[in-house]
Amino acid sequence: MNAISTPASGLAACAPLDSRHLNGGQQLAVKYFSVAIVLFLAQLLFGLLAGIQFIWPGFLFETLDFSVNRMVHINAMVVWMLYGFIGAVYWFLEEESGTDIAGLKYGNLAFWVLTAAVTVVVLVYLLVQTGPGNDTTRWLINEGREYIEAPRWADIGIVAVMLVFFYNVAGTFSKGRWSGISGVLTLDLVALAGLYLAGMFYSTNISVDQYWWWWVIHLWVEATWEVLVGCIMAWSLMKLIGARRQIVQTWLYIEVALMFGSGILGLGHHYFWIGTPEYWLTIGGFFSALEPIPLVAMVVHSVYDAGVHKFRSTNHPALAWIIAHTFGNFLGAGVWGFMHTLPQINLYTHGTQWSASHGHLAFFGAYATIIIAFFYLAIQRWRGGVWMGGGLPDNGWKWKWAMGLLNLGVMGMTVALLIAGYEQSFIERAVEGSTWGGYFAGQNHPWFEQAMHWRMVFGLMTFAGALLLAWDLLTIGACESRDELVIEEH
């Protein structure tokens, strides 16, 4: 049974944010969350610049070229989500383990090292931008690999930070208490550090190089990140609605089994066009079809648990974002991914805006939503455990509008890019046979041009939602005098 306490007054009105009542891990998490928000806004800003250049190609030409804007847009997305995940783990680490974090001073040092490295890499992207294809460029400027353009020194730094992170987590659980969540999390962090090493191989054979590159893009992001999300989701559901630990841990085990069992072989759906053997067409296509199954399970599980408790929770914004996560994860990563994964379809859609459509919805639905939910969990405790249920001042319009604008904006961009991708698949691939003439015919088609304009409209909507989200996180609960609703799982 779940014991639900009623809210009581007693907190000082308009109290400023105060980290003194947070434990060491939570204070470190606040630093990660703060940088994550800044990088989230940067990601959207550079995405808007790249979107403008689709409509007006001469915009900022030879100052901030499209390739640079797109690179910063994608890398900022990867890094801010990584900051969000690390922060979420630090946030619940001491509570889950029942002890102080092992080596917390090293964790704080790793945060400053990572943040300094990210700053230097971004400045190099913006100011130096590119260099000749030699070892110096690879080590100091840009590796030239899409999505993982970070220079080699930064690659090594990322792995080093992940190893410190692993030490903090594994060492803490080793001296404290273990649980199903802690076991899955610890093993996943081994993969989080190890799989990134696959992107540090270099080969002059493009098929070999792309083979290892996909191990980072698919398994590092789609597998290890998904398991991290599962751990964060399990803990959040227990905190928000009092879900039983046995239930969330069981679904977590199932998710891990299906994600790795199908994900490793499903990785083959990326091998279709890089010169690998033909058998990957069948293997990759079949096992990719299994990958959405744990995502469906997460949807059913979360909605069922929320319904059983009549959606009564300690934190309405966080619960709303978790529900958005379950549907966004299923639609973006599952439905939108699978609709063009089979090789018979992928032959026409690979490398078109169809892929970008899937990418936008998948990353937002699967990752951004759960991190934003955790932001609200953190801000509630950071405010001293204030009321964040129903009846918020101004009816909580800021978080509701921010959520609406962000979700509608991303969904609008997704549909616009899907239309553009459909047009490319038909004109450029099916009719023109992937020729240069077909490429330019596709790019100049009215459907493509209109889709790019609509993508820009919805991109501005998304950016407005992000600004409103940042405003709400800075102000929500600031003048609240009621204590939080507490739901405990027995």
Side-chain angles (χ1 to χ4, degrees):
M1 294 180 61
N2 294 308
I4 304 177
S5 69
T6 55
S9 61
L11 293 177
C14 295
L17 288 169
D18 187 359
S19 299
R20 287 177 296 180
H21 62 276
L22 301 179
N23 63 46
Q26 290 170 342
Q27 292 180 20
L28 178 54
V30 165
K31 298 175 185 176
Y32 274 102
F33 291 152
S34 300
V35 177
I37 285 287
V38 173
L39 289 173
F40 179 35
L41 293 174
Q43 177 215 344
L44 297 181
L45 176 61
F46 282 93
L48 288 175
L49 294 176
I52 292 172
Q53 289 170 328
F54 260 102
I55 302 171
W56 298 291
F59 180 69
L60 294 179
F61 180 62
E62 294 187 338
T63 301
L64 271 179
D65 289 339
F66 172 79
S67 60
V68 176
N69 284 324
R70 180 179 181 273
M71 180 171 64
V72 177
H73 171 60
I74 291 173
N75 281 269
M77 173 195 70
V78 172
V79 175
W80 89 257
M81 290 180 176
L82 198 60
Y83 268 79
F85 292 142
I86 294 173
V89 172
Y90 277 126
W91 185 268
F92 71 74
L93 185 54
E94 292 193 21
E95 189 169 331
E96 182 70 14
S97 65
T99 186
D100 295 337
I101 292 180
L104 181 60
K105 62 181 180 181
Y106 301 116
N108 275 287
L109 177 62
F111 164 78
W112 291 112
V113 169
L114 179 62
T115 303
V118 168
T119 303
V120 171
V121 169
V122 171
L123 289 174
V124 170
Y125 284 168
L126 296 177
L127 302 177
V128 182
Q129 299 188 6
T130 59
N134 56 32
D135 286 337
T136 301
T137 295
R138 253 191 318 275
W139 274 92
L140 300 178
I141 300 175
N142 187 325
E143 283 201 23
R145 289 186 173 103
E146 190 178 25
Y147 302 127
I148 51 173
E149 288 96 343
R152 183 58 51 84
W153 71 267
D155 281 344
I156 296 172
I158 289 172
V159 174
V161 169
M162 290 301 102
L163 290 175
V164 172
F165 182 40
F166 172 77
Y167 167 70
N168 291 148
V169 173
T172 302
F173 284 128
S174 294
K175 70 174 184 174
R177 62 173 177 260
W178 281 89
S179 65
I181 297 174
S182 61
V184 170
L185 175 63
T186 303
L187 290 174
D188 185 58
L189 293 185
V190 176
L192 190 70
L195 283 174
Y196 193 79
L197 295 173
M200 296 169 65
F201 293 107
Y202 175 74
S203 172
T204 54
N205 183 309
I206 188 64
S207 293
V208 174
D209 199 63
Q210 286 283 289
Y211 179 89
W212 291 112
W213 177 81
W214 275 120
W215 275 70
V216 179
I217 301 307
H218 183 101
L219 288 180
W220 192 65
V221 173
E222 295 184 32
T224 60
W225 282 24
E226 280 283 6
V227 175
L228 262 178
V229 165
C231 295
I232 295 169
M233 169 73 89
W235 187 84
S236 300
L237 287 171
M238 289 190 293
K239 199 71 177 172
L240 280 171
I241 60 176
R244 285 183 294 161
R245 181 177 289 270
Q246 294 92 329
I247 293 177
V248 294
Q249 286 186 169
T250 299
W251 280 116
L252 185 59
Y253 297 150
I254 294 171
E255 181 187 0
V256 170
L258 285 171
M259 188 60 65
F260 282 105
S262 64
I264 292 174
L265 291 175
L267 173 59
H269 76 251
H270 295 299
Y271 295 163
F272 296 158
W273 321 121
I274 65 170
T276 47
E278 189 176 350
Y279 55 73
W280 280 113
L281 292 168
T282 303
I283 295 174
F286 174 77
F287 283 96
S288 290
L290 300 179
E291 289 183 46
I293 292 176
L295 309 181
V296 177
M298 290 172 67
V299 173
V300 175
H301 170 219
S302 299
V303 174
Y304 172 78
D305 275 345
V308 165
H309 296 284
K310 298 179 181 179
F311 289 91
R312 194 173 190 186
S313 74
T314 65
N315 189 313
H316 281 197
L319 179 62
W321 274 106
I322 281 183
I323 298 300
H325 161 78
T326 56
F327 285 101
N329 200 353
F330 171 61
L331 287 174
V335 176
W336 250 258
F338 180 61
M339 72 163 64
H340 74 131
T341 290
L342 294 177
Q344 295 85 349
I345 301 171
N346 198 249
L347 172 65
Y348 299 98
T349 63
H350 192 79
T352 68
Q353 296 296 333
W354 201 310
S355 299
S357 173
H358 159 54
H360 278 74
L361 187 56
F363 272 98
F364 181 79
Y367 302 128
T369 48
I370 189 68
I371 295 172
I372 293 172
F374 221 94
F375 286 163
Y376 278 103
L377 277 172
I379 205 71
Q380 183 179 29
R381 178 73 65 86
W382 197 4
R383 290 281 182 198
V386 297
W387 172 262
M388 285 180 63
L392 289 172
D394 299 324
N395 200 30
W397 72 269
K398 288 197 292 292
W399 78 260
K400 294 175 182 176
W401 271 91
M403 184 177 184
L405 288 171
L406 280 165
N407 282 280
L408 184 58
V410 171
M411 198 68 213
M413 286 192 292
T414 299
V415 173
L417 290 167
L418 184 65
I419 292 171
Y422 174 83
E423 180 276 329
Q424 285 179 297
S425 301
F426 183 69
I427 302 295
E428 178 186 328
R429 302 290 173 82
V431 175
E432 298 287 344
S434 296
T435 60
W436 273 114
Y439 171 78
F440 288 111
Q443 295 288 110
N444 291 302
H445 194 279
W447 282 17
F448 186 89
E449 293 180 351
Q450 290 170 15
M452 291 300 104
H453 281 84
W454 278 111
R455 193 267 295 270
M456 194 67 211
V457 170
F458 286 107
L460 290 168
M461 182 184 296
T462 304
F463 190 64
L467 291 175
L468 191 55
L469 172 71
W471 180 22
D472 188 49
L473 288 170
L474 288 171
T475 57
I476 190 169
C479 298
E480 184 58 70
S481 61
R482 294 169 292 175
D483 291 334
E484 67 178 310
L485 177 71
V486 180
I487 301 178
E488 297 177 348
E489 187 270 322
H490 295 289

